[in-house]
């Protein structure tokens, strides 16, 4: 039965990945353009559109930007009231989403007068509340480093353009703040990503898990294969064929697999759409390849199987369709990836495993009862319709 409540985007929880830059502004030559932009994202220059403040290249402190407080804003509240800000915007490409984890930057006062500081707000709540605010204790050229956590549902599964504003306050006009190395951290994912394994430092833990779900580590439980961190090819996992399995059937027979499990929390179910991942052979000997099976049918049949044509560090990308009815309305599922090769002690490198789909709330019994109560009335109205009408 397809659920009658809308799909929930859910909170995406960052498990153990190192922060990755979505966008960075390092102000080379005093430039306001982004110096780094992640794939599948776009970013504006730093600007003061709509602001009462002036943004200038940091001539006194090169390779920085300088926000001048043209209006006296002696504290955080007045800086916001007086629109003393600069801002930048990031936008995911169609079909992608942001999961923000933090904003880091360096700041320094332009001189000795105090207090001076900053306030951070975002368009995600209409610039309605402070994310953080701090007084800056150092003057140029001594920059202070700040790291602001962006945690909670508001900063997860963001599908639209998002703008961050840094307001500055100071005790008199014509003074200001220098900023450098603004870095917005997080990830850019397909819009329907549920679970991701990207193996930072060879870790087997899920790096990202969508809200209302739990996910296991990658593991080789009850497997005839060994799963190891990809030391030869960092930030991957390596499936070693300890038993000769020259083809897909023997890989399954010999239990040459690793697996992962995902489960919906109480009151939710999953609709799956695809599993994507990257693979490379560990060396030249061939054929080597993979087989995918799942707990949905007790690992009885192949969902897909492919030969891997490339050798590390050249990964091949695969996309397995999971749109069949058997992969909808699930409370849990385990996927096994089997590997085969022509001899023992060889294997395959895997990276960027992403399970895609959506999470739905199961309708409350009262909702179903209301729908059921309305059905007889609908049928009665139809039975009373005049002849020739339907």
């Amino acid at each position: 039965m397809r659920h009658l409540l809308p799909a929930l985007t859910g909170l995406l929880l960052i498990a153990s990945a190192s922060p990755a830059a979505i966008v960075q502004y390092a102000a080379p030559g005093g430039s306001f353009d982004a110096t780094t932009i992640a794939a599948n994202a776009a970013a504006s220059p730093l600007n003061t559109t709509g602001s009462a403040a002036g943004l200038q290249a940091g001539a006194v402190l090169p390779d920085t930007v300088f926000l001048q407080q043209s209006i006296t804003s002696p504290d955080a509240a007045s800086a916001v009231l007086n629109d003393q800000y600069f801002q930048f915007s990031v936008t995911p490409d169609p079909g992608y989403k942001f999961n923000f984890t933090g904003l880091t930057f360096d700041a320094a006062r332009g001189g000795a007068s105090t207090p001076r500081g900053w306030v951070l707000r975002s368009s995600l709540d209409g610039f309605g509340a402070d994310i953080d605010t701090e007084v800056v204790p150092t003057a140029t050229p001594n920059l202070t480093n700040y790291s602001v956590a962006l945690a909670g549902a508001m900063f997860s599964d963001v599908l639209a353009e998002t703008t961050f504003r840094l307001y500055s306050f100071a005790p008199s006009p014509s003074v200001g703040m220098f900023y450098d190395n603004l870095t917005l951290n997080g990830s850019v994912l397909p819009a329907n990503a549920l679970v991701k394994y990207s193996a930072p430092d060879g870790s087997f833990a899920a790096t990202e898990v969508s809200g209302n779900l739990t996910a296991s580590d990658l593991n080789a439980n009850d497997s005839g294969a060994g799963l190891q961190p990809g030391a030869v090819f960092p930030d991957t996992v390596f499936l070693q064929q300890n038993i000769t399995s020259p083809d897909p059937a023997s890989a399954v027979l010999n239990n040459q697999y690793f697996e992962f499990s995902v489960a919906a929390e109480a009151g939710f179910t999953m609709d799956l759409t695809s599993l994507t991942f990257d693979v490379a052979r560990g060396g030249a000997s061939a054929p080597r390849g993979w087989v995918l099976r799942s707990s949905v049918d007790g690992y009885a049949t192949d969902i897909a199987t492919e030969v891997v044509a490339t050798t590390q560090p050249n990964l091949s990308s695969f996309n397995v369709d999971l749109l069949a009815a058997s992969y909808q309305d699930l409370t849990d599922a385990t996927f096994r990836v089997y590997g085969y090769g022509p001899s023992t002690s060889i294997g395959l490198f895997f990276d960027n495993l992403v399970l895609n789909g959506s999470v739905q709330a199961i309708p409350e019994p009262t909702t179903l009862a209301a729908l059921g109560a309305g059905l007889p009335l609908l049928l009665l109205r139809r039975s009373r319709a005049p002849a020739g009408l339907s």
Side-chain angles (χ1 to χ4, degrees), residues 220-226 239-240 243 245 248-258 299 336-339:
N221 286 347
D222 302 319
S223 171
L239 181 68
Q240 181 179 355
I243 304 168
S245 298
S250 56
V252 173
L253 181 66
N254 292 326
N255 284 327
Q256 302 280 179
Y257 68 82
F258 69 91
Y299 313 104
R336 288 181 177 173
V337 182
Y338 300 78

Side-chain angles (χ1 to χ4, degrees), residues 27 32 46 48 53-61 63-71 73-76 79 84-86 105-120 133-146 166-182:
F32 297 163
L46 302 176
T48 54
L55 191 64
Q56 309 164 23
V60 176
L61 186 55
D63 296 337
T64 64
V65 292
F66 178 72
L67 183 71
Q68 180 178 349
Q69 281 84 254
S70 303
I71 303 169
S73 297
D75 52 46
Q84 302 281 177
Y85 68 79
F86 70 94
F105 56 92
D106 303 324
R109 303 191 310 260
S113 62
T114 58
R116 293 191 226 183
W118 54 264
V119 184
L120 178 64
T133 181
E134 294 283 351
V135 171
V136 176
T138 56
T140 61
N142 301 309
L143 291 157
T144 300
N145 179 257
Y146 295 94
L166 271 165
Y167 300 79
S168 293
F169 57 89
S172 61
S174 300
V175 301
M177 299 277 296
F178 289 88
Y179 292 89
D180 196 13
N181 299 317
L182 284 93

Side-chain angles (χ1 to χ4, degrees), residues 375-387 389-390:
L375 184 58
L377 180 59
L378 176 62
L379 293 175
L380 178 61
R381 286 177 176 172
R382 289 180 60 86
S383 69
R384 290 177 176 176
L389 299 180
S390 61

Side-chain angles (χ1 to χ4, degrees), residues 157-203:
D157 295 336
V158 179
L159 299 170
E161 179 184 77
T162 303
T163 300
F164 290 89
R165 287 181 179 173
L166 271 165
Y167 300 79
S168 293
F169 57 89
S172 61
S174 300
V175 301
M177 299 277 296
F178 289 88
Y179 292 89
D180 196 13
N181 299 317
L182 284 93
T183 305
L184 179 64
N185 292 309
S187 57
V188 188
L189 288 171
N192 60 351
L194 296 180
V195 178
K196 182 177 182 180
Y197 298 87
S198 58
D201 301 319
S203 170

Side-chain angles (χ1 to χ4, degrees), residues 5-28:
L5 295 186
L8 301 181
T9 53
L11 166 64
L12 200 84
L13 304 174
I14 306 302
S16 58
S18 300
I22 295 175
V23 63
Q24 183 179 55
Y25 298 87

